[in-house]
Amino acid sequence: MAVLNRLMSRCRASSLIGSYSNSVRRYCLNTIEGDGKLPLVSPSAASSVPHPGPIVKPNSTGGRSVQWVFLGCPGVGKGTYAARLSSLLGVPHISTGDLVRHELSSHGPLSSKLGEIVNQGKLISDETIIDLLSKRLEAGEAKGESGFILDGFPRTIRQAEILEGVTNIDLVINLKLREEALLAKCLGRRICSECGGNYNVACIDIEGENGSPRMYMPPLLPPPNCESKLITRSDDTEEVVKERLRIYNEMSRPVEEFYRSRGKLLEFDLPGGIPESWPKLLRALNLDDLEDKKSLAA
Ligand SMILES: Nc1ncnc2c1ncn2[C@@H]1O[C@H](COP(=O)(O)OP(=O)(O)O)[C@@H](O)[C@H]1O
């Protein structure tokens, strides 16, 4: 993690972004991978993608903490599943969207410029997002964090190349959901302004057609003490969500191929709401045993 931070800092301080020197890349890879610890994912066939996808091995005791990435369209549920895996695996869930929103709410020097970009559904610059991410990683390192589950980063090929240059990502989980559900899920999203809890008031029920099964996603309603404190994200309007979906297809879809071609992409089609999807995701990640053990221990 320390090296990741240092290089992120170097990327931000100089103009290494987009024009790495090979020696810097070698330095980082050697330093990070030279710790003798086991990678979590071995390249072999596990999913239906043309390139052999990764087989996920449960966390081995000698291994370092996981370094995973979540990809997927706005509204797919990256934050929900990343947060659940983060508490199961004991690694930080780092959402760049949350970092941006935190920056916006701080009313610092960047916030009005960022607010304009976010509220148009556009991406903020690679340099700015790397700057925010580096600060978050540095703060985590100071608290003794190790490993991460990234949600919302990388979102451009350039970001993916930078990340690939500084550390070894074990696994990239590409969450997928039917297009019809994505807009409804974004519009139904609610956040508790006090505890930060994420809820969804949308009830999604899509008839099966052309061989695809019916999809039912019940609302995820807040507990009574959050009910009166719910807020909606300013970028969750129909117009802005449509723009975010367009930008995802243009800028972030190629990132899926970036990881697919490296054998790191695990495609996961969400079959429905959390009760249906979570156990299946754990099974796909070979983590169902871990959850059983954790619930027995609780
Ligand atoms: N990696 C990134 N690169 C550029 N902009 C980002 C990145 N992550 C977050 N953002 C900005 O923050 C906004 C909110 O991000 P996020 O909460 O991840 O939204 P989404 O629901 O669209 O996945 C994005 O629309 C974008 O403006």
Side-chain angles (χ1 to χ4, degrees), residues 72-75 78 95-98 100-101 117-118 121-126 129 151-156 159 186 189 233 235-236 244:
C73 289
K78 298 184 292 294
S95 151
T96 46
D98 285 348
V100 171
R101 281 182 286 279
I117 299 171
V118 171
K122 310 271 189 250
L123 293 185
I124 65 173
S125 72
D126 294 336
I129 203 77
D151 150 16
F153 187 94
R155 242 176 166 105
T156 63
Q159 292 175 13
C186 284
R189 186 150 53 187
R233 271 170 51 172
D235 57 344
D236 275 343
R244 279 156 55 205

Side-chain angles (χ1 to χ4, degrees), residues 4 12 33 37 56 68 73 92 116-118 127 139 153 166 182 188 202 214 217 259 270 286:
L4 176 58
R12 129 179 83 126
E33 292 183 342
K37 291 177 182 166
V56 185
W68 288 1
C73 289
E116 229 172 85
I117 299 171
V118 171
E127 287 77 1
F153 187 94
V166 297
L182 294 170
R214 172 187 175 217
M217 301 178 95
Y259 287 116
L270 288 157
N286 274 335

Side-chain angles (χ1 to χ4, degrees), residues 118-121 234-235 237-245:
V118 171
N119 287 331
Q120 286 172 20
S234 58
D235 57 344
T237 62
E238 182 164 347
E239 193 191 352
V240 178
V241 173
K242 285 184 173 161
E243 177 63 0
R244 279 156 55 205
L245 286 167

Side-chain angles (χ1 to χ4, degrees), residues 16 39 45 52 55 76 84 93 124 131 151 221 258 292-293:
L16 277 174
I55 279 188
V76 75
R84 285 180 162 237
H93 163 210
I124 65 173
D131 191 48
D151 150 16
L221 297 174
F258 179 91
D292 293 346
K293 280 186 208 141

Side-chain angles (χ1 to χ4, degrees), residues 11-136:
C11 287
R12 129 179 83 126
S14 64
S15 53
L16 277 174
I17 291 175
S19 61
Y20 277 125
S21 77
N22 283 334
S23 58
V24 171
R25 195 194 322 257
R26 259 198 312 276
Y27 158 75
C28 291
L29 289 175
N30 290 342
T31 315
I32 288 173
E33 292 183 342
D35 61 6
K37 291 177 182 166
L38 295 173
L40 207 70
V41 178
S42 67
S44 181
S47 68
S48 57
V49 294
H51 187 284
I55 279 188
V56 185
K57 293 187 169 174
N59 203 353
S60 64
T61 42
R64 60 157 165 71
S65 303
V66 304
Q67 298 192 161
W68 288 1
V69 162
F70 266 91
L71 292 182
C73 289
V76 75
K78 298 184 292 294
T80 302
Y81 293 100
R84 285 180 162 237
L85 284 173
S86 140
S87 65
L88 185 66
L89 297 170
V91 293
H93 163 210
I94 302 180
S95 151
T96 46
D98 285 348
L99 298 181
V100 171
R101 281 182 286 279
H102 184 261
E103 187 64 33
L104 288 178
S105 65
S106 72
H107 302 291
L110 267 182
S111 57
S112 67
K113 194 172 143 225
L114 291 188
E116 229 172 85
I117 299 171
V118 171
N119 287 331
Q120 286 172 20
K122 310 271 189 250
L123 293 185
I124 65 173
S125 72
D126 294 336
E127 287 77 1
T128 304
I129 203 77
I130 285 172
D131 191 48
L132 293 176
L133 181 58
S134 303
K135 285 180 185 148
R136 169 62 186 82

